[in-house]
Amino acid sequence: MSDHKQAGQTGAERRVRMEPIPKGKIQMWVILSLLLLMAAGAGGVLLYIWNGLKPAPPGEPVRIEIPKGTSANRTAELLERHGIIRNAFLFKYYLQMKNEGDHFQAGLYEMRPGMTNDEIIAMLNEGRTVKPPTFRFTIPEGYTLEHIADKLAAEGLIDKTKFLELADSPEARKWSSAAASIPDDERLIHPLEGYLFPETYEMETGSTEADILKRMMAELDRKLDQLPEDWQEILEERNMTLHELLTVASLIEREVAIAEERPIVASVIYNRLARGMPLQVDATVQYALGETKDRLLDEDLGIDSPYNTYKIPALPPGPIASPSLASILAALEPEDTDYLYYVLMRDGSRTHLFAKTIEEHQRNIRKSEQAAAAREAEGG
């Protein structure tokens, strides 16, 4: 009896109790659920990243100032603030992934919303900044400091008085490497004479007199770097200073118009100096007079000035004009000649006749005078 009852209870229990779910199926559903959640999360993250890195909506160009020393992270924040990128946080990681941001250049940029990230990065790396308004001026070769000041003042770029005061100040000699070689010589009319390189310049609008002086002086430093590498050793061998080299170059610049003659005239200068002869360079007398004359009178040649090379058997105290690189090079590398004299051939060719002796020189003078007379007779 008891056995039958027990058997009946077991059957009831079987009818009432549900079939148990296999453990393997539970694990599978858990894994699938987690995968679905992860996929949904990953999709959301990918959508967030995609949306954050895609170009901002197109719009009008925007000007953005990137200050000097600004980090890549700070740059990203500026870009987001101005609407150039959508998400600075994501852009920072994009820069890290691309190994970019270390070469961004400071300046004022004009960017347009809608640019791609790579376009923005390229612009910042290349420094394609908005160019400020500029002005241009040209200083011809052989101009004196006074002529330079007159030209710049006439073009409304400087105040002449202020420009000359700055140029003559002791402070100005600290503005370039070359100017540091200027001797402390009271005989110098303008200490910076010859140290303002003749060139065409482009500078930002609003540049001051000091800015212009510094720019021209820095240009001379750059041009000296183009000389042969051993130029300083050459000067040491000659027991010559840079100031003296520029002085010789300025004489060549004012005396010579034909490029091929520059090294020859340089040789004449050095040959006369070696013999203790006065250089008798008309341009130095004109510099002392403060004016250019077609023909110097005897009274002009007698002017009492350390720049009068008809009276002093040496170089003048300093340059008399701004020499070109060609004249500086000629002063550094003169021709090897025995010439002691030269005279301008007055036939309009602007060439010179060179001589080794005074007798030959006198003959050349007569040739020059005859050429001038013939030209005048022809109405030239």
Side-chain angles (χ1 to χ4, degrees), residues 150-185:
D150 285 338
K151 186 175 191 297
L152 294 177
E155 295 174 8
L157 302 178
I158 63 162
D159 176 273
K160 179 180 177 180
T161 300
K162 185 175 181 180
F163 184 85
L164 291 176
E165 286 177 352
L166 280 171
D168 291 341
S169 69
E171 184 68 20
R173 303 188 195 188
K174 303 175 183 177
W175 291 346
S176 78
S177 298
S181 69
I182 299 174
D184 187 14
D185 190 339

Side-chain angles (χ1 to χ4, degrees), residues 25-36:
K25 286 186 175 182
I26 295 173
Q27 292 175 342
M28 181 184 70
W29 281 110
V30 170
I31 292 172
L32 285 174
S33 299
L34 290 173
L35 288 174
L36 287 172

Side-chain angles (χ1 to χ4, degrees), residues 268-281 308-315 338-342 355-358 361:
V268 174
I269 292 172
Y270 288 124
N271 289 342
R272 292 180 74 94
L273 288 174
R275 289 165 175 76
M277 299 172 64
L279 296 179
Q280 297 183 325
V281 175
N308 185 355
T309 57
Y310 275 82
K311 296 183 69 174
I312 59 169
L315 284 173
D338 294 325
Y339 293 136
L340 292 172
Y341 307 91
Y342 62 86
K356 300 177 183 178
T357 65
I358 187 64
H361 180 55

Side-chain angles (χ1 to χ4, degrees), residues 79 113 223 235 321 335:
L79 294 175
K223 289 299 189 292
L235 292 185
E335 286 282 338

Side-chain angles (χ1 to χ4, degrees), residues 31 41-42 173 182 248 296 317 325 328 333:
I31 292 172
R173 303 188 195 188
I182 299 174
V248 173
L296 293 174
L325 183 61
I328 297 174
E333 299 177 342

